[in-house]
């Protein structure tokens, strides 16, 4: 056996993706699993998008593409971003990546030197700290677990962590796992602070089309179009268009950032999948009337869970404003039932109820559970009935 690199020793496997493996194994054993772990839409990819993919194969669009994506897709991104956010990026300010996760990876590799600090929100999406560590950077947390302002994405939570070594901040709005949105005032404050100190702001908006508030979602580039040198928008088609397996994301950033990312993409993935790129054009430009009913359904599930949690009692949570996760505090039950921690609690729920949930520790928040409602109302009802009986038992 060869000795593995020190670098690879810095990171651990993705806990959310490991749950997918557990689910598949349990399914193979014939178990009836209720999956509230998955961070992926339960809806199939809309037909209209699939047709575009099939056409791409039939028309032999099956070869290497330009490293940063096909011009047709970049034009679609420019148009859809302009229509939605009133900001028109140039073609050289876009890089299409195999999923937004890879976009984040490329950016952090491109800008981080050993010892640089990157401020990550906490609770965090599981991959942020790992991607930062793998880039050689040090993770510093913006704490959103404060009792009096639970999960609030404030500018202060970031600026209070600024140091001479701060290279970048990551903002995720709507947030995975909390569902919170950073409001425009806070966003303006943090962008100004970053521009002032020449700190790079990475804004992951991959859930931006899945929101339940009436307010318009405002992109940092809409608010500060002249500060693009310090801003990158990392986005994804995975969630909005139920395209997780197609692996299609994009980053909008200054040309110098896109060029740096493209160097690494050119020597790693080469390009995002040619077929997925064609399908993505359809997702962005074709009729999107399927979206509103999906969001309505997520909202209905969210409201249902909020009501049930209140009825069950002793579960504290903040109603999510976007994305499709409940991040709820189960301290009361973990203590009452004598579990060591949320990991043991989640494992017992899996073993006894065949229900998958993600322990909060995976997101830096012990005693919480993340419950994804990217699952049917029928399954959610069934799962919560079982959970209630278990908790009260
Ligand atoms: N950012 C956040 C906050 C996520 O939850 C995910 C989940 N997959 C991603 C990025 C990556 O998504 P993808 O690579 O499928 O675009
Ligand atoms: N982002 C999703 C989640 O949080 C999918 C899995 C992953 O990429 O981490 O569950």
């Amino acid at each position: 056996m060869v000795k593995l690199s020190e670098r690879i020793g810095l990171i651990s496997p993705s806990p959310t993706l490991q749950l997918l493996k557990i689910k598949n194994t349990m399914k193979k054993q014939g178990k009836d699993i209720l999956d509230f772990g998955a961070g992926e839409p339960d809806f199939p990819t809309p037909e209209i998008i699939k047709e575009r993919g099939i056409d791409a194969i039939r028309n032999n669009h099956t070869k290497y593409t330009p490293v940063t994506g096909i011009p047709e897709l970049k034009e679609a991104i420019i148009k859809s971003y302009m229509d939605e956010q009133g900001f028109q990026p140039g073609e050289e300010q876009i890089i299409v990546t195999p999923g937004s996760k890879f976009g984040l990876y490329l950016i952090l590799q491109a800008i981080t030197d050993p010892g640089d600090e990157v401020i990550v929100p906490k609770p965090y999406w599981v991959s942020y700290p790992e991607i930062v560590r793998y880039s050689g950077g040090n993770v510093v947390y913006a704490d959103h677990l404060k009792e009096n302002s639970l999960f609030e994405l404030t500018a202060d939570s970031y600026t209070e962590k600024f140091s001479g070594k701060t290279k970048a901040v990551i903002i995720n709005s709507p947030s995975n796992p909390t569902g919170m949105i950073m409001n425009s005032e806070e966003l303006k404050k943090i962008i100004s602070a970053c521009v002032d100190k020449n700190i790079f702001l990475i804004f992951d908006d991959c859930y931006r089309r899945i929101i339940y508030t009436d307010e318009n979602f405002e992109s940092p580039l809409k608010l500060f179009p002249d500060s693009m040198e310090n801003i990158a928008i990392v986005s994804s088609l995975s969630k909005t268009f139920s395209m997780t397996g197609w692996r299609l994301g994009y980053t909008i950033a200054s040309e110098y950032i896109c060029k740096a990312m493209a160097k690494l993409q050119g020597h790693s993935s080469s390009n995002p999948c040619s077929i997925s790129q064609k399908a993505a054009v359809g997702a962005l430009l074709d009729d999107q009337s399927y979206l509103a009913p999906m969001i309505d359904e997520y909202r209905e599930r969210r409201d249902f869970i909020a009501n049930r949690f209140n009825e069950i009692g002793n579960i504290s949570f903040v109603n999510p404003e976007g994305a499709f996760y409940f991040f709820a505090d189960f301290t009361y039950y973990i203590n009452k039932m004598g579990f060591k921690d949320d990991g043991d609690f989640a494992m017992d729920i899996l073993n006894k109820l065949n229900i998958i949930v993600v322990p909060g520790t995976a997101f830096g928040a012990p005693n919480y559970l993340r419950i994804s409602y990217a699952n049917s109302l029928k399954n959610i009802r069934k799962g919560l009935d079982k959970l209630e009986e278990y908790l009260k038992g």
Side-chain angles (χ1 to χ4, degrees):
M1 234 174 32
V2 297
K3 181 182 169 296
L4 295 176
S5 72
E6 306 224 334
R7 223 169 47 255
I8 202 69
L10 293 174
I11 59 173
S12 340
S14 161
T16 42
L17 295 181
Q18 274 184 321
L19 282 175
L20 272 179
K21 198 168 149 198
I22 293 180
K23 176 180 156 188
N24 291 336
T25 313
M26 290 180 78
K27 268 192 160 168
K28 265 196 203 148
Q29 294 164 346
K31 291 188 177 150
D32 187 14
I33 307 293
L34 290 168
D35 183 8
F36 306 120
E40 64 177 348
D42 54 314
F43 303 106
T45 306
E47 285 305 317
I48 194 166
I49 301 176
K50 289 196 270 193
E51 286 303 327
R52 287 270 198 161
I54 293 165
D55 280 353
I57 297 174
R58 293 234 158 87
N59 293 323
N60 296 316
H61 194 75
T62 51
K63 302 286 175 67
Y64 291 133
T65 76
V67 171
T68 60
I70 55 175
E72 191 189 350
L73 176 53
K74 289 192 177 188
E75 276 162 29
I77 293 168
I78 293 167
K79 180 174 184 314
S80 68
Y81 210 74
M82 180 64 198
D83 290 350
E84 192 198 317
Q85 291 295 333
F87 179 85
Q88 184 162 4
E91 232 186 80
E92 304 304 321
Q93 294 167 329
I94 295 172
I95 170 168
V96 183
T97 52
S100 61
K101 196 184 283 187
F102 198 62
L104 286 163
Y105 172 82
L106 292 177
I107 295 188
L108 283 153
Q109 290 291 329
I111 65 169
T112 316
D113 277 320
D116 284 347
E117 291 177 356
V118 178
I119 307 179
V120 165
K122 184 178 176 172
Y124 44 79
W125 172 48
V126 296
S127 292
Y128 292 143
E130 307 297 85
I131 295 175
V132 170
R133 272 195 276 277
Y134 197 71
S135 74
N138 293 332
V139 181
V140 173
Y141 292 109
D143 190 3
H144 303 130
L145 280 164
K146 292 178 182 166
E147 227 173 89
N148 50 353
S149 61
L150 193 62
F151 301 159
E152 254 179 56
L153 305 178
T154 60
D156 286 352
S157 65
Y158 287 91
T159 51
E160 70 193 15
K161 296 295 168 70
F162 278 10
S163 79
K165 292 182 181 161
T166 309
K167 185 64 184 259
V169 305
I170 299 179
I171 296 176
N172 176 213
S173 173
S175 149
N176 174 4
T178 68
M180 294 296 270
I181 294 175
M182 182 179 264
N183 72 41
S184 299
E185 285 318 303
E186 294 301 315
L187 194 51
K188 282 182 197 159
K189 267 201 236 164
I190 181 68
I191 299 171
S192 299
C194 286
V195 171
D196 247 22
K197 301 244 179 306
N198 198 21
I199 289 169
F200 199 66
L201 185 136
I202 300 169
F203 192 81
D204 177 345
D205 71 359
C206 74
Y207 296 95
R208 76 168 189 268
R209 305 280 303 269
I210 306 175
I211 59 175
Y212 314 109
T213 62
D214 295 331
E215 282 165 48
N216 286 333
F217 182 86
E218 294 192 296
S219 160
L221 290 178
K222 179 180 180 186
L223 297 171
F224 282 71
D226 297 332
S227 300
M228 196 169 185
E229 291 228 327
N230 284 81
I231 298 173
I233 307 293
V234 181
S235 209
S236 176
L237 275 76
S238 290
K239 317 291 172 172
T240 310
F241 301 104
S242 270
M243 290 179 74
T244 45
W246 298 75
R247 311 307 302 129
L248 218 288
Y250 61 90
T251 297
I252 303 177
S254 293
E255 201 174 325
Y256 79 99
I257 294 284
C258 290
K259 270 196 176 148
M261 292 168 71
K263 279 203 277 184
L264 185 51
Q265 176 143 287
H267 286 299
S268 50
S269 71
S270 295
N271 56 261
C273 168
S274 59
I275 302 154
S276 304
Q277 289 189 65
K278 281 283 192 182
V281 172
L284 295 174
L285 295 186
D286 290 347
D287 175 41
Q288 297 182 345
S289 52
Y290 50 79
L291 280 182
M294 284 197 217
I295 314 286
D296 285 347
E297 193 160 334
Y298 285 134
R299 184 187 283 107
E300 198 184 339
R301 298 170 184 176
R302 177 195 72 147
D303 294 344
F304 178 82
I305 297 177
N307 282 335
R308 285 298 302 270
F309 276 180
N310 283 330
E311 276 165 26
I312 295 171
N314 299 310
I315 302 170
S316 52
F317 62 92
V318 178
N319 218 15
E321 299 170 318
F324 37 62
Y325 308 104
F326 261 88
F327 203 55
D329 183 347
F330 281 83
T331 307
Y332 173 85
Y333 291 102
I334 290 172
N335 290 340
K336 185 182 122 184
M337 296 167 87
F339 288 107
K340 181 166 68 60
D341 55 29
D342 49 291
D344 278 4
F345 184 49
M347 196 46 82
D348 198 56
I349 290 175
L350 177 64
N351 291 334
K352 296 212 173 105
L353 309 180
N354 286 345
I355 290 177
I356 301 180
V357 291
V358 193
T361 298
F363 309 91
N367 288 348
Y368 281 78
L369 293 181
R370 190 189 78 173
I371 289 133
S372 158
Y373 47 98
N375 203 332
S376 68
L377 202 51
K378 182 169 157 247
N379 282 341
I380 291 172
R381 186 174 285 120
K382 198 164 148 193
L384 290 184
D385 284 348
K386 283 172 116 183
L387 190 68
E388 177 166 18
E389 207 178 305
Y390 166 82
L391 295 175
K392 296 207 162 151

